[in-house]
Amino acid sequence: MGEQTTSVFQLIKSKAKLLKREAFVLYFAYKDQRVPWHAKLFAICVVAYAFSPIDFIPDFIPILGYLDDIILVPLGIWLALKLIPEEVISDCRAKAQELMAKGKPKNWVTGISFIVIWILLGTWLSWYLYKRLLS
């Protein structure tokens, strides 16, 4: 039983690593001039959501909390990759593999920016709903 649990854990870990690499592929594709604007827009939205510390459905909600991590992020990555030319994807996969081999970069400014944007969005939405429902 323990060996089977370990192999399942290793499979999940390898799939998560692959998913992270594909998110970096989308990030590099976003910067590539050969990618159409609509694919860039969709790709950057998927990357922002994948790397954002805040989810639409909070993880502490049983079962539903992990729904976005298990279904929405992989589906978004898959759809974004379908919009990008294959030669761009292969170039970006090489860049992503190199980046992951060096170690994940830490960009605190970007992380703080995501948090501030989510706070501002939440504040605005709360204010809007408050005005709308109590007016």
Side-chain angles (χ1 to χ4, degrees):
M1 180 72 176
E3 187 176 310
Q4 187 178 22
T5 304
T6 304
S7 67
V8 169
F9 179 71
Q10 290 296 341
L11 177 66
I12 291 170
K13 191 174 174 181
S14 68
K15 292 291 184 183
K17 191 172 183 177
L18 178 66
L19 194 62
K20 184 191 284 187
R21 187 196 74 192
E22 295 300 294
F24 280 118
V25 168
L26 291 179
Y27 172 73
F28 287 124
Y30 166 76
K31 293 179 165 188
D32 197 298
Q33 297 298 323
R34 300 172 288 176
V35 177
W37 70 268
H38 63 280
K40 285 184 178 190
L41 179 64
F42 189 73
I44 201 62
C45 289
V46 170
V47 169
Y49 186 74
F51 289 133
S52 174
I54 301 171
D55 296 336
F56 286 131
I57 306 169
D59 289 342
F60 64 81
I61 298 173
I63 300 171
L64 292 177
Y66 292 104
L67 185 67
D68 60 344
D69 298 328
I70 296 170
I71 296 174
L72 294 179
V73 172
L75 182 63
I77 289 173
W78 178 77
L79 286 172
L81 289 172
K82 291 292 182 191
L83 297 172
I84 299 169
E86 191 61 42
E87 62 274 1
V88 174
I89 292 173
S90 61
D91 292 347
C92 293
R93 279 198 177 122
K95 290 179 186 177
Q97 192 66 35
E98 181 182 326
L99 178 71
M100 290 185 73
K102 290 180 184 176
K104 182 173 70 172
K106 292 181 174 74
N107 190 338
W108 292 102
V109 173
T110 304
I112 290 170
S113 298
F114 275 117
I115 292 170
V116 168
I117 289 169
W118 278 108
I119 289 171
L120 290 173
L121 184 63
T123 303
W124 175 82
L125 184 61
S126 299
W127 175 81
Y128 178 79
L129 290 175
Y130 174 77
K131 290 289 189 183
R132 190 84 165 152
L133 294 174
L134 296 177
S135 296

